Amino acid sequence: MDNPHASETAETAAGPASDAPGAAEPGVATAQELNAQLGALLGQIADGDRAAFADFYRLTSRRVFGMARRILVDLELSEDATQEVFLQVWQNAASFNTAAGSPLAWLMTIAHRRAVDKVRSVQAATDREARYGADSQEIDHDSVSDEVGSRLEAEAVVRCLKTLTETQQESVRLAYYGGLSYREVAEQLNSALPTIKSRIRDGLIRLKTCLEVS
């Protein structure tokens, strides 16, 4: 599917301004009606419908943020996790299977897994730093990714990721979203460690530049 443009859904895809992201959820009579609406929206999102994505975000962002905040506690990490969940919704709406459960249950499962993964990723990063320290390249990677992370907006990231090469996208997703170390990414992609370090750093710099002009 084509990526949505920031100018059309920036307000709905932007991170939370204060306590939680998005506007207040519109009142829905029953959970059954909400799930029916979300299911229809997911079908439209799978076809690249940006307006449907905006509606889906408004209907569910508070729930997703609340789940993330309960697990992560930290406000900024919760905001990041929320954006990552909706990025995953945009990219994988077509994978939703009605036979596997309701749309809301599917979404909250994604939110729970993303928050737990972020806890593990943060802990793993802390453990690695304590054990080994950070060499100059790792520091470069961390400083760039922190700057990128502080400006994560689902809409902008979807668009900016498309400016990277396929190999850069794959490496950055594994390192940033998957929480893998350089060596783990290199092993998973069967590539040389120096190549992966260069690929990730160049990809993050391109993301940072793209987000700065968004």
Side-chain angles (χ1 to χ4, degrees):
M1 71 177 73
D2 293 335
N3 290 326
H5 295 296
S7 61
E8 296 185 60
T9 58
E11 180 179 351
T12 56
S18 54
D19 287 341
E25 296 178 22
V28 179
T30 66
Q32 185 176 5
E33 290 177 0
L34 173 60
N35 276 311
Q37 186 175 2
L38 295 179
L41 290 172
L42 282 172
Q44 296 168 344
I45 294 170
D47 292 331
D49 189 324
R50 295 184 292 272
F53 177 74
D55 289 341
F56 190 94
Y57 182 93
R58 282 195 296 269
L59 285 166
T60 59
S61 60
R62 287 184 181 277
R63 295 171 187 263
V64 171
F65 179 79
M67 167 73 78
R69 190 71 188 272
R70 284 193 295 274
I71 294 173
L72 292 163
V73 180
D74 182 84
L75 176 62
E76 291 187 4
L77 286 176
S78 301
E79 292 173 354
D80 285 350
T82 298
Q83 300 303 337
E84 292 166 12
V85 168
F86 284 100
L87 175 60
Q88 187 170 345
V89 169
W90 174 257
Q91 294 175 328
N92 299 310
S95 69
F96 171 68
N97 180 6
T98 55
S102 69
L104 190 57
W106 175 76
L107 176 66
M108 298 311 290
T109 297
I110 293 174
H112 183 270
R113 288 175 178 170
R114 177 60 63 189
V116 171
D117 286 347
K118 189 168 284 292
V119 169
R120 291 171 177 166
S121 176
V122 170
Q123 185 60 52
T126 301
D127 291 345
R128 286 196 300 270
E129 185 175 350
R131 287 196 304 266
Y132 306 116
D135 60 28
S136 59
Q137 286 181 295
E138 291 285 340
I139 292 173
D140 285 343
H141 166 266
D142 289 342
S143 64
V144 175
S145 63
D146 285 346
E147 204 165 342
V148 173
S150 68
R151 299 192 56 195
L152 274 179
E153 297 179 357
E155 196 67 25
V157 171
V158 169
R159 177 166 40 79
C160 288
L161 277 172
K162 299 296 288 185
T163 68
L164 275 59
T165 66
E166 289 185 3
T167 54
Q168 284 176 333
Q169 288 185 48
E170 188 174 28
S171 300
V172 168
R173 283 194 176 107
L174 286 173
Y176 189 82
Y177 293 115
L180 301 184
S181 67
Y182 284 128
R183 187 173 299 280
E184 290 167 339
V185 174
E187 291 173 353
Q188 184 156 336
L189 298 182
N190 195 26
S191 298
L193 181 59
T195 299
I196 291 299
K197 286 186 175 183
S198 176
R199 186 183 299 167
I200 292 174
R201 187 172 188 279
D202 290 347
L204 287 172
I205 289 174
R206 289 182 65 176
L207 270 179
K208 173 179 176 289
T209 301
C210 179
L211 289 169
E212 283 180 342
V213 299
S214 296

